Amino acid sequence: MLLRKTILGLGLALCLFTVTSCDDDDDDNDIMEDFSGSFSGTNEVPAVTTSATGTLNATYNRNTRVLTLNMTYSGLSSAATMWHVHKGAVGVSGDPVAGLDFGTLGASPFSWSDTLTTTQEADLMNDLYYVNIHTVDHPTGEIRAQLND
């Protein structure tokens, strides 16, 4: 009888431990996705010879669907004319992502945020987005960074 009570007690304790250790609450680590990339001319398609470089760090909030980009860049060959988030896998050129408000590229470091659609979210999660910076000397893009998680 004592053995039976001990086994039942241990079983109950195990169940309580299991239930209390399974937390269904969303915390920020579960909803935030981090992405990063390095800007370079060799990432452009076709590749561009330039000494310009930079970094791209991004966070994506799965609850609000807000993508935030933090970019640094230096050494551009000429004045920046525009920048975009494009859809394209590594080594593939693509069009700017429709529906996003890019605005004017600010001085480095530069931050930007916008809300993605569910289709855009799927593309982002599949590493299909890149950012490039266009300049006077390189109107189709001088440096590019792929968003990778």
Side-chain angles (χ1 to χ4, degrees):
M1 188 67 157
L2 180 61
L3 180 61
R4 187 176 204 194
K5 286 183 180 182
T6 302
I7 291 173
L8 286 173
L10 288 173
L12 180 60
L14 181 61
C15 286
L16 288 173
F17 174 76
T18 302
V19 169
T20 58
S21 67
C22 293
D23 183 4
D24 273 343
D25 293 340
D26 287 332
D27 64 28
D28 287 341
N29 292 332
D30 292 335
I31 62 169
M32 300 302 286
E33 296 279 342
D34 293 321
F35 297 85
S36 62
S38 296
F39 282 109
S40 76
T42 58
N43 293 339
E44 285 287 349
V45 178
V48 171
T49 302
T50 180
S51 59
T53 60
T55 59
L56 173 62
N57 293 297
T59 55
Y60 180 68
N61 184 314
R62 286 181 173 263
N63 282 351
T64 63
R65 294 197 330 261
V66 171
L67 175 63
T68 301
L69 304 179
N70 295 298
M71 300 176 267
T72 63
Y73 59 92
S74 63
L76 296 174
S77 64
S78 55
T81 56
M82 67 182 99
W83 75 281
H84 299 107
V85 176
H86 293 255
K87 181 179 176 182
V90 172
V92 177
S93 233
D95 292 328
V97 178
L100 297 181
D101 180 17
F102 299 113
T104 303
L105 180 68
S108 179
F110 176 70
S111 293
W112 168 90
S113 293
D114 206 347
T115 304
L116 303 184
T117 66
T118 54
T119 300
Q120 291 167 340
E121 176 184 56
D123 290 340
L124 174 69
M125 294 303 161
N126 286 306
D127 297 332
L128 294 177
Y129 282 170
Y130 67 90
V131 174
N132 74 340
I133 298 175
H134 306 253
T135 62
V136 171
D137 289 348
H138 300 282
T140 59
E142 182 166 339
I143 54 176
R144 168 179 167 161
Q146 196 78 27
L147 279 167
N148 295 306
D149 56 354

